[in-house]
Amino acid sequence: MSSAPAQHDAPTDTTPDGTDEANAFTELGLRAELLGALAALGYEEPTPIQREAIPPLLGGRDLLGQAATGTGKTAAFALPLLHRMPAHRDGGDPVALVLVPTRELAVQVSEAFHRYGKDLGARVLPIYGGQPIGRQLRALDSGVDVVVATPGRALDHIARGTLRLGGLATVVLDEADEMLDMGFAEDIEAILEHAPAQRQTVLFSATMPSRIDGMARQHLREPVRIEIGREQQVAGEAPRVRQSAYIVTRAHKPAALGRVLDVESPTAAIVFCRSREEVDRLTETMNGRGYRSEALHGGMSQEQRDRVMGRLRAGTADLLVATDVAARGLDVEQLTHVVNYDVPSAPESYVHRIGRVGRAGREGVAITLAEPREHRMLKTIERVTGQRITIDKIPTVADMRTRRLELTQAALRESLLEDDLDPYRVIVETLTDEFDLMEVALAAVKLAHEVTSPGSDDEEEIPQAPVRGPREGRPEAGGRGGDRRGGGRPRPGGNGVQVFIGLGRRAGVRPQDLVGAITGETGISGRDIGSIEIADRFSLVEVPQGMADEVIAGLRGSTIKGRKATVRRDRGGDHR
Ligand code: AMP
């Protein structure tokens, strides 16, 4: 695979002086409404995949992109698609169809289209299994521009005649490898048969197994090929700093950041965010949590930036929350820690970021907070930099207590060694008339502890998000060939349980219907689902022990092939 290496540095004529809204997105030739939306979102520059994918997509080319979550791939296909679409259409069938593997992604991608396309009046509709079909029918009937759908539900609508693909200009297959893994290959083929031959087809996949290659050969015409993290030279060698990562859901990120900072006690740290909006939000949150934080982004004047840097150098701020553009070229001697609040969009950007510490023989630490789905990006970064990123456990409440006690002990020790304690002797002597010396000491330590380590108000445990392992080397799932799939699939965590579903072959149930229903109804990914067995009158699906209740509740609340089914934990053979 080849493509010209992306130029990832800011264009040399872009000094981040903050007042110039004409950023690198303008150079890509996107229309004003989109530039306005991006500015409002605080995006300062395109990510590498956007820089490479947007121009050919604007030119109408087909595209085969290898990019994981976190690279900005959604905007890479959404922006050109919106750009090419007639603005403010009335009625009509969709001009773009995006197929995605899960309900979760359908919602996320639709939201992204909404955000980028609001000034164009883009009408975007997510459709996925599990959602009442009536609402989808009404929305389709009143006209939409972009449909973001899971394959099963898209096919249902096509069969009903409620989703008509004759007007499609573009089809996007997002996370294609995951869709194949979930057994959607035939559904996708069937959907593509209904799309006009003269269309633009875009395929994004985190991995490129041979089945994806085959699919691309069949459905894409002379595609531009783009790959993030391969054949691209990382400028200079990655600095030798201690590198670790925490896997944490978005909702727990501020608390996790606070905890990691408490444990690490940096002299000064820089926290990288993706957008201006996030910089402002996080700065506020961290100040609210008692960290002296300052924002730095391209929307600030030079004078404002100088003030911020002054406060950091003088030690009146400990935390600098910044975008990549704003922090470029920054050299602050006090910096000991770099934190990636999100996984960077490409390995090059990771290397630039961590280059802010560990300079000139100084010690440095780089910490990355990654969402479970972004775990793959960490692997790509490791591969490109040739350095390990260890995945650490988020400190628990008990760890934090221990740490705070250690700090108090250290403070007391210092005081014992250095301070003149005589003025307090009279207090101890008076109190020891009444109390034991040990008790007096304990009370004094307690008071000191309360002053040096005021209890943090986020004393709840931060759940350890499951790491989604890389798929490399894993056999592809069996698809629709047989009713039993997953001979080579890893068993979920080794302690899977069987869920009994009272519908089987006679009701027309196929493996992908079950996978679609489960992933559609729960937050569970297709890869967490183990073997699926379909008998005449029932089916058995293996899911991880800890997820069984969620799966059962989800399936009980929905229909499979339009029918309600009995769903329960398998009691072991009483149905056979
Ligand atoms: P994705 O890889 O498409 O899931 O995108 C990852 C995240 O990056 C999403 O939260 C986007 O909103 C955000 N994002 C995408 N492009 C940019 C950009 N150019 N600048 C800042 N944030 C971005």
Side-chain angles (χ1 to χ4, degrees):
M1 239 182 231
S2 69
S3 72
Q7 178 50 259
H8 297 152
D9 280 314
T12 43
D13 58 347
T14 307
T15 49
D17 65 7
T19 47
D20 186 7
E21 278 302 332
N23 58 25
F25 278 110
T26 319
E27 289 163 23
L28 294 176
L30 291 170
R31 55 201 291 173
E33 295 93 332
L34 294 172
L35 294 177
L38 295 172
L41 287 168
Y43 289 12
E44 296 193 330
E45 59 176 358
T47 67
I49 187 104
Q50 290 160 9
R51 213 182 284 273
E52 289 193 57
I54 291 174
L57 288 178
L58 286 176
R61 295 282 305 270
D62 282 5
L63 185 139
L64 177 60
Q66 178 164 3
T69 299
T71 52
K73 66 181 167 64
T74 313
F77 64 75
L79 293 171
L81 214 144
L82 289 163
H83 177 99
R84 281 158 56 84
M85 173 180 302
H88 303 285
R89 294 164 71 233
D90 302 318
D93 295 334
V95 290
L97 172 69
V98 182
L99 292 176
V100 297
T102 61
R103 166 180 74 167
E104 188 192 12
L105 198 59
V107 172
Q108 264 175 34
V109 170
S110 294
E111 285 173 356
F113 269 99
H114 268 294
R115 280 198 299 270
Y116 305 139
K118 67 177 175 353
D119 293 342
L120 293 168
R123 297 161 304 164
V124 187
L125 180 68
I127 61 178
Y128 46 82
Q131 195 195 34
I133 204 152
R135 184 144 36 106
Q136 297 174 356
L137 291 175
R138 276 192 301 280
L140 284 168
D141 199 41
S142 61
V144 292
D145 301 312
V146 183
V147 169
V148 184
T150 51
R153 185 52 72 97
L155 210 51
D156 281 353
H157 278 288
I158 292 171
R160 284 167 177 252
T162 46
L163 175 60
R164 289 173 296 274
L165 306 187
L168 286 186
T170 307
V171 174
V172 180
L173 307 174
D174 191 18
E175 306 208 348
D177 50 356
E178 191 125 341
M179 289 201 281
L180 291 192
D181 252 16
M182 290 168 62
F184 284 134
E186 286 192 19
D187 286 357
I188 294 171
E189 297 292 328
I191 293 167
L192 289 178
E193 271 171 30
H194 287 84
Q198 287 305 314
R199 59 162 196 269
Q200 178 182 45
T201 312
V202 182
L203 189 157
F204 273 105
S205 188
T207 56
M208 284 290 161
S210 55
R211 290 177 74 205
I212 294 285
D213 229 25
M215 187 176 228
R217 260 197 308 274
Q218 196 183 343
H219 296 292
L220 272 58
R221 278 171 309 171
E222 298 174 16
V224 177
R225 289 165 180 261
I226 295 176
E227 191 172 355
I228 286 298
R230 167 88 59 99
E231 289 180 13
Q232 287 168 353
Q233 293 300 313
V234 173
E237 205 178 305
R240 299 253 152 220
V241 298
R242 171 160 65 84
Q243 297 171 51
S244 57
Y246 297 89
I247 309 294
V248 61
T249 58
R250 183 126 221 113
H252 290 108
K253 276 197 177 179
L257 175 60
R259 219 164 263 188
V260 169
L261 290 173
D262 287 351
V263 169
E264 292 279 340
S265 315
T267 309
I270 183 164
V271 182
F272 281 101
C273 293
R274 286 190 176 128
S275 64
R276 292 178 190 180
E277 199 206 2
E278 189 153 74
V279 164
D280 285 336
R281 200 163 358 115
L282 186 62
T283 308
E284 207 167 292
T285 309
M286 295 316 284
N287 276 318
R289 287 172 176 264
Y291 302 88
R292 298 179 308 168
S293 325
E294 295 281 347
L296 189 77
H297 59 60
M300 295 162 57
S301 68
Q302 192 56 47
E303 201 189 335
Q304 287 173 312
R305 293 152 170 279
D306 290 345
R307 262 205 305 275
V308 165
M309 296 313 296
R311 282 197 283 270
L312 196 72
R313 293 204 170 92
T316 48
D318 327 298
L319 212 59
L320 186 65
V321 185
T323 55
D324 287 287
V325 171
R328 218 158 261 158
L330 199 94
D331 190 8
V332 183
E333 204 175 319
Q334 291 87 336
L335 279 184
T336 51
H337 289 64
V338 167
V339 181
N340 297 305
Y341 193 64
D342 300 288
V343 170
S345 60
E348 294 80 346
S349 134
Y350 179 84
V351 172
H352 280 149
R353 287 177 176 191
I354 72 172
R356 307 285 131 232
V357 292
R359 290 181 172 188
R362 280 184 260 134
E363 274 192 21
V365 179
I367 290 162
T368 303
L369 303 183
E371 287 174 56
R373 293 182 63 85
E374 294 170 338
H375 180 240
R376 173 181 300 283
M377 196 61 195
L378 291 176
K379 292 280 156 210
T380 306
I381 293 169
E382 280 189 327
R383 184 162 47 77
V384 173
T385 60
Q387 295 184 10
R388 252 329 280 289
I389 302 175
T390 47
I391 308 263
D392 286 339
K393 284 209 168 10
I394 297 163
T396 60
V397 172
D399 292 338
M400 298 312 296
R401 287 204 187 112
T402 309
R403 173 80 184 145
R404 289 198 199 104
L405 287 172
E406 280 169 8
L407 289 175
T408 301
Q409 186 176 335
L412 286 170
R413 193 156 200 287
E414 212 169 297
S415 174
L416 281 163
L417 289 172
E418 287 178 9
D419 290 348
D420 173 14
L421 302 173
D422 255 357
Y424 307 101
R425 188 173 292 278
V426 58
I427 299 182
V428 177
E429 281 172 356
T430 313
L431 286 172
T432 43
D433 288 344
E434 204 180 332
F435 301 97
D436 182 51
L437 184 58
M438 178 58 114
E439 281 176 299
V440 174
L442 288 173
V445 170
K446 174 171 176 273
L447 282 180
H449 184 67
E450 283 167 1
V451 172
T452 54
S453 300
S456 159
D457 47 15
D458 68 272
E459 290 291 77
E460 277 178 30
E461 292 295 0
I462 301 175
Q464 191 71 40
V467 176
R468 302 250 151 98
R471 195 193 328 241
E472 279 93 350
R474 214 179 83 178
E476 287 171 36
R480 260 166 80 160
D483 279 347
R484 185 172 178 105
R485 82 170 189 162
R489 276 177 91 80
R491 289 291 174 270
N495 58 350
V497 294
Q498 303 263 45
V499 172
F500 171 91
I501 298 153
L503 287 175
R505 208 175 289 122
R506 291 207 181 160
V509 171
R510 305 162 306 167
Q512 60 265 44
D513 299 321
L514 299 174
V515 175
I518 292 170
T519 57
E521 283 308 312
T522 63
I524 290 168
S525 148
R527 66 182 62 167
D528 289 325
I529 300 172
S531 68
I532 295 181
E533 195 174 343
I534 298 188
D536 272 355
R537 293 174 187 280
F538 67 88
S539 309
L540 294 171
V541 180
E542 189 183 20
V543 297
Q545 175 84 33
M547 297 180 180
D549 290 340
E550 192 185 350
V551 169
I552 292 168
L555 290 179
R556 280 182 181 161
S558 76
T559 55
I560 298 165
K561 289 265 148 196
R563 292 171 60 175
K564 281 262 171 211
T566 308
V567 183
R568 55 172 160 75
R569 266 173 206 263
D570 181 38
R571 290 196 288 260
D574 56 358
H575 39 73
R576 290 169 208 254

